[in-house]
Amino acid sequence: KAGVTQTPRYLIKTRGQQVTLSCSPISGHRSVSWYQQTPGQGLQFLFEYFSETQRNKGNFPGRFSGRQFSNSRSEMNVSTLELGDSALYLCASRRSGAQETQYFGPGTRLLVL
Amino acid sequence: QKEVEQNSGPLSVPEGAIASLNCTYSDRGSQSFFWYRQYSGKSPELIMFIYSNGDKEDGRFTAQLNKASQYVSLLIRDSQPSDSATYLCAVTLPSNTGNQFYFGTGTSLTVIP
């Protein structure tokens, strides 16, 4: 079974721009979560999508948004980029059920200049 | 109070020794427990999960769960330099919008050759 894929893997943007990141979960997984990871803050939960609906949301400003498509692929968008948005953005695919497990993709490293 | 607490380390052990990593959680309703390994610059990789009290062994790794004391630990036997990484503890808590994952900030492990 293929793992979680994320594109692009690396991205350089300038302040004020916007960016869209993509995630394809493991086949059969309907839940996708997004996390931001920075050296100082650790893993911060952004949001979770399940069957095209946002199920949970972390404490991030409205500049961060996401969506999920009918094939479970998900995108997240960050508008009006700030220097502090430089981070590793991780997508996690969740196998739901009695023994729920979550697997991470390789991440997208975003650098905002 | 954070849901999941880990000693940030760094923890250093000599090659061949047993590395012991600990994690405590605050909510007795926590259901599932996970250990992820994260190499520098990479995404977290699931290495162990445990759902019931007791020990679970997988190769050189043993996860131990004690729900009464609200801690979960990871033992790495015959530690190798390749085990040098940050280890993240995660738990799930049920909510009305599905189980939510909570991560600790990670323990940095260095295995000295």
Side-chain angles (χ1 to χ4, degrees):
Chain A
K1 224 180 212 186
V4 183
T5 59
Q6 291 188 245
T7 56
R9 295 292 310 279
Y10 304 93
L11 209 46
I12 299 175
K13 292 285 188 179
T14 56
R15 278 180 300 174
Q17 287 188 307
Q18 67 95 26
V19 66
T20 299
L21 312 181
S22 180
C23 169
S24 290
I26 294 169
S27 177
H29 290 193
R30 293 161 61 193
S31 167
V32 171
S33 295
W34 289 89
Y35 295 83
Q36 180 196 68
Q37 189 177 40
T38 57
Q41 298 294 320
L43 263 180
Q44 301 289 312
F45 173 71
L46 281 155
F47 27 67
E48 181 205 356
Y49 285 86
F50 179 80
S51 293
E52 302 179 65
T53 302
Q54 188 180 84
R55 186 159 71 169
N56 290 295
K57 188 177 188 303
N59 191 25
F60 275 81
R63 300 185 297 108
F64 292 83
S65 62
R67 59 177 175 168
Q68 187 180 33
F69 302 95
S70 58
N71 62 356
S72 294
R73 189 178 71 86
S74 178
E75 289 181 347
M76 68 162 280
N77 183 278
V78 188
S79 62
T80 320
L81 284 165
E82 300 177 359
L83 296 179
D85 297 332
S86 295
L88 179 65
Y89 289 88
L90 294 160
C91 167
S93 171
R94 187 186 300 194
R95 181 186 72 197
S96 301
Q99 296 187 337
E100 211 160 25
T101 316
Q102 186 165 259
Y103 302 89
F104 284 92
T108 295
R109 187 164 297 280
L110 171 66
L111 177 61
V112 182
L113 301 175
Chain B
Q1 184 184 10
K2 291 185 180 179
E3 296 289 347
V4 181
E5 299 267 11
Q6 293 182 256
N7 187 330
S8 62
L11 174 66
S12 295
V13 300
E15 183 175 355
I18 296 175
S20 177
L21 301 120
N22 298 311
C23 169
T24 59
Y25 58 95
S26 60
D27 197 312
R28 289 193 176 274
S30 300
Q31 289 191 334
S32 305
F33 307 85
F34 306 85
W35 284 99
Y36 290 82
R37 177 178 63 197
Q38 187 173 24
Y39 293 115
S40 181
K42 302 295 185 182
S43 67
E45 173 193 5
L46 179 64
I47 55 171
M48 289 290 285
F49 52 87
I50 186 166
Y51 304 109
S52 54
N53 261 340
D55 295 2
K56 179 183 178 182
E57 188 175 316
D58 184 2
R60 295 186 296 112
F61 298 98
T62 299
Q64 299 176 318
L65 174 61
N66 185 322
K67 287 191 173 183
S69 301
Q70 295 178 235
Y71 80 79
V72 56
S73 61
L74 179 69
L75 300 178
I76 306 175
R77 290 182 300 282
D78 189 23
S79 294
Q80 301 296 309
S82 60
D83 295 325
S84 298
T86 295
Y87 290 80
L88 300 170
C89 172
V91 308
T92 61
L93 267 174
S95 75
N96 57 5
T97 53
N99 289 337
Q100 297 202 40
F101 276 76
Y102 292 89
F103 285 84
T105 53
T107 297
S108 175
L109 172 66
T110 300
V111 180
I112 303 166

